[in-house]
Amino acid sequence: PYRILAASDAYLATTALRREDVIGTMLFDTFPDDPCDPRASGVAALSASLARVQQTRAPDAMAIQRYPIRQGDDFVLKYWSVVNFPVFDADQAVSVIINRVEDVTDYVLARREEGIVGHSLPQHAVAKQETEIVLRSLEMKRLAESLSESEQRLQFVIRATGAVVWDWHMRDDSLWCSQGV
């Protein structure tokens, strides 16, 4: 039941997709599990995280996910650092979930190779990458929580004062207004 509403340029570059081929599609139609991979669990893990966000109404930072993506007729191995966070509507229901992902494939493969070979990257470089990934994930979670709190305060003010808020989205030239209208 999850439809893709927007995608960043970085995400499109990483997935080798075009915006017009992604926007409006169902998430797991566009990003299915590899049917030839018996270990495929990306859809189940992401579905569980999105369900947690809906249920708890709080951001959900997932462990690094092995989630190969389809490119043409093939699947390309990718690993992702994922944080999902809710956006609330005027009634405080979760109306949108922002799925913030970062491609950490190079880091994961370097760690795996380091374990096998023992000298592919200096330990300090691997530790630095790992720290940066964790810090970015924590920062995204903190920002998501802050955004959620700000949005809840705004919705409270709108309801308490009967104010009307208009928002013009320049990218798609759409207009939104609060329910006070």
Side-chain angles (χ1 to χ4, degrees):
Y2 301 103
R3 186 173 304 279
I4 299 172
L5 302 177
S8 70
D9 292 339
Y11 186 71
L12 294 170
T14 299
T15 59
L17 294 169
R18 298 177 316 161
R19 186 168 275 107
E20 59 270 17
D21 295 335
V22 173
I23 304 304
T25 64
M26 300 307 291
L27 177 62
F28 298 123
D29 289 344
T30 304
F31 297 104
D33 278 331
D34 181 349
C36 298
D37 183 354
R39 298 180 304 156
S41 62
V43 168
L46 183 53
S47 291
S49 176
L50 296 171
R52 281 190 299 276
V53 170
Q54 287 181 310
Q55 182 181 32
T56 65
R57 302 168 41 80
D60 186 66
M62 300 172 66
I64 291 178
Q65 297 295 303
R66 178 186 182 280
Y67 198 145
I69 59 168
R70 183 174 41 208
Q71 289 186 351
D73 293 333
D74 298 319
F75 279 79
V76 176
L77 179 63
K78 293 285 184 177
Y79 290 88
W80 306 95
S81 172
V82 182
V83 180
N84 295 305
F85 57 96
V87 176
F88 301 100
D89 64 16
D91 296 324
Q92 294 302 302
V94 176
S95 63
V96 173
I97 298 175
I98 296 177
N99 172 244
R100 186 255 179 209
V101 297
E102 180 178 357
D103 181 358
V104 294
T105 305
D106 291 341
Y107 163 76
V108 171
L109 295 179
R111 290 291 296 201
R112 179 176 291 153
E113 187 174 312
E114 178 187 76
I116 295 169
V117 177
H119 60 275
S120 64
L121 281 178
Q123 184 59 36
H124 71 277
V126 172
K128 182 180 177 189
Q129 285 180 328
E130 185 174 66
T131 300
E132 288 173 0
I133 290 168
V134 169
L135 290 175
R136 282 193 301 264
S137 292
L138 291 173
E139 178 65 9
M140 286 306 300
K141 186 173 183 177
R142 188 193 65 73
L143 289 172
E145 290 167 349
S146 176
L147 176 63
S148 177
E149 290 171 9
S150 295
E151 192 159 324
Q152 288 174 359
R153 282 192 294 271
L154 174 63
Q155 293 302 328
F156 175 75
V157 169
I158 289 171
R159 273 185 291 203
T161 64
V164 176
V165 176
W166 297 87
D167 188 11
W168 175 47
H169 300 272
M170 292 184 287
R171 180 171 282 206
D172 63 1
D173 197 32
S174 65
L175 186 65
W176 172 87
C177 68
S178 61
Q179 291 186 341
V181 178

